[in-house]
Amino acid sequence: MQMFQLLICSLYSPLSPHPFLIRVITLLAMWSLPFLALLLFTVKGHNTATIGHVMPNCLHCNALAKFNVFWVVSTPAPPSPPSPSANPTIMDELLADGGRRRFMAYNEWYLSDQPPRFWEFGRSQLLFPEDPEKKQQWIIVKMNATEIAIKSVGGSYIGHGVLNEGVIAYEAKEWEMLTPVKNEDDSWSFKSRWNRWLSGGGYSHGYLDFMPSNLKCERWKLKPW
C-alpha cells in the first residue's frame, strides 16, 4: 500500500515530467466511468431479460429469457428449414381485401412501423396503443405457396433478428418469411423459418420478439383497415 501511495504521489509531483497531462488523463478516466456504466446497463437491459421485464401471462418467457440471448450469440444461424405448409383457405382469408390488416397483440397494443429512437441502439419499439399517427397499417404479402411477409404501408417489413428480436427490414428475404397459423380462438400466429413465433410479449414491454412456443403472447388479432 505504501509503495502504491508513493507511486501516485510521484506521478502528481511537480518533478514529474508531465504532471498536467497525467492529471487530465486521470480526470477524463474518472468522468467516463459513469457513462460507461450507463452504456453497459442499457445494452444489458436490451439484450438480456430479467423477471421484471417478462410480460405477465407469458410463462415461457420467464424460463427461457436469460438463456435464449446468449445461446443465439454463441450459435450461428442454422440453414433455413422448410416451412410447414399453410392451408390454402388460410392464405385466401389473409389475402382478402388486398391483405390490409392491423395487428393487435394480446394486450391490445398494435404493431407499428416506427424508426428506432436515439436511446434504443438500433432496436425500435414496434408496439404502441392504438394511434393513427404511429403507422399501424400493414399489408400481408404472399411470398410463396406457404409463406407470407408483413409489409408496412411505408414499404418496410417485419423480420426475425439475429438475437430473436423483431426488427424492421427493407426487403423481404428468408428472415422475413413467416408461415401463418390460425388458432382455435380465431387469432393468428406467425412462425419464422427458425421455428420461432412472432411475439407481442417477449422480453421487454413494447418490443417484438420471436419466442419458441405459440402461447398467449404469440397470438394476434387481425383487423382490416
Side-chain angles (χ1 to χ4, degrees):
M1 178 63 69
Q2 291 180 348
M3 292 182 65
F4 177 75
Q5 292 174 345
L6 288 173
L7 176 61
I8 296 298
C9 291
S10 66
L11 289 175
Y12 283 88
S13 170
L15 300 178
S16 175
H18 302 289
F20 177 75
L21 180 60
I22 292 173
R23 286 185 175 87
V24 171
I25 293 174
T26 304
L27 287 173
L28 289 175
M30 293 176 64
W31 289 342
S32 66
L33 287 177
F35 295 103
L36 288 174
L38 178 62
L39 176 62
L40 290 173
F41 176 80
T42 305
V43 172
K44 180 177 177 60
H46 277 284
N47 291 294
T48 62
T50 61
I51 299 296
H53 286 131
V54 176
M55 298 299 295
N57 301 319
C58 297
L59 301 180
H60 66 289
C61 305
N62 194 346
L64 296 172
K66 289 188 176 180
F67 168 78
N68 178 68
V69 171
F70 294 107
W71 182 88
V72 175
V73 169
S74 60
T75 305
S80 301
S83 294
S85 298
N87 188 316
T89 304
I90 290 178
M91 275 291 193
D92 293 339
E93 185 175 349
L94 283 175
L95 299 174
D97 302 323
R100 297 189 302 271
R101 299 289 184 274
R102 293 188 301 152
F103 289 71
M104 187 178 76
Y106 78 102
N107 59 356
E108 299 186 355
W109 281 29
Y110 285 81
L111 184 61
S112 307
D113 182 11
Q114 293 294 301
R117 294 165 289 191
F118 71 92
W119 64 83
E120 292 181 313
F121 297 98
R123 186 180 184 189
S124 177
Q125 180 178 344
L126 298 176
L127 290 168
F128 291 90
E130 186 172 12
D131 183 350
E133 300 297 322
K134 294 293 185 183
K135 300 180 182 178
Q136 295 173 338
Q137 294 81 26
W138 300 83
I139 300 171
I140 296 174
V141 180
K142 182 177 180 180
M143 303 304 295
N144 54 51
T146 63
E147 295 173 308
I148 58 96
I150 301 173
K151 183 179 182 179
S152 76
V153 293
S156 55
Y157 296 86
I158 294 297
H160 183 165
V162 295
L163 295 179
N164 289 331
E165 78 278 27
V167 298
I168 290 292
Y170 296 99
E171 56 182 328
K173 296 185 177 181
E174 58 183 2
W175 292 90
E176 289 68 52
M177 303 291 184
L178 301 172
T179 298
V181 172
K182 189 168 187 180
N183 301 303
E184 65 280 358
D185 60 355
D186 288 332
S187 65
W188 293 84
S189 298
F190 300 90
K191 190 175 187 180
S192 78
R193 290 187 177 185
W194 277 259
N195 295 318
R196 285 178 171 265
W197 301 86
L198 181 66
S199 175
Y203 303 135
S204 299
H205 188 59
Y207 292 84
L208 284 182
D209 289 288
F210 280 82
M211 302 302 291
S213 301
N214 181 18
L215 301 180
K216 180 177 180 179
C217 299
E218 291 69 48
R219 300 189 174 200
W220 300 81
K221 296 291 186 180
L222 302 187
K223 298 186 174 184
W225 57 270

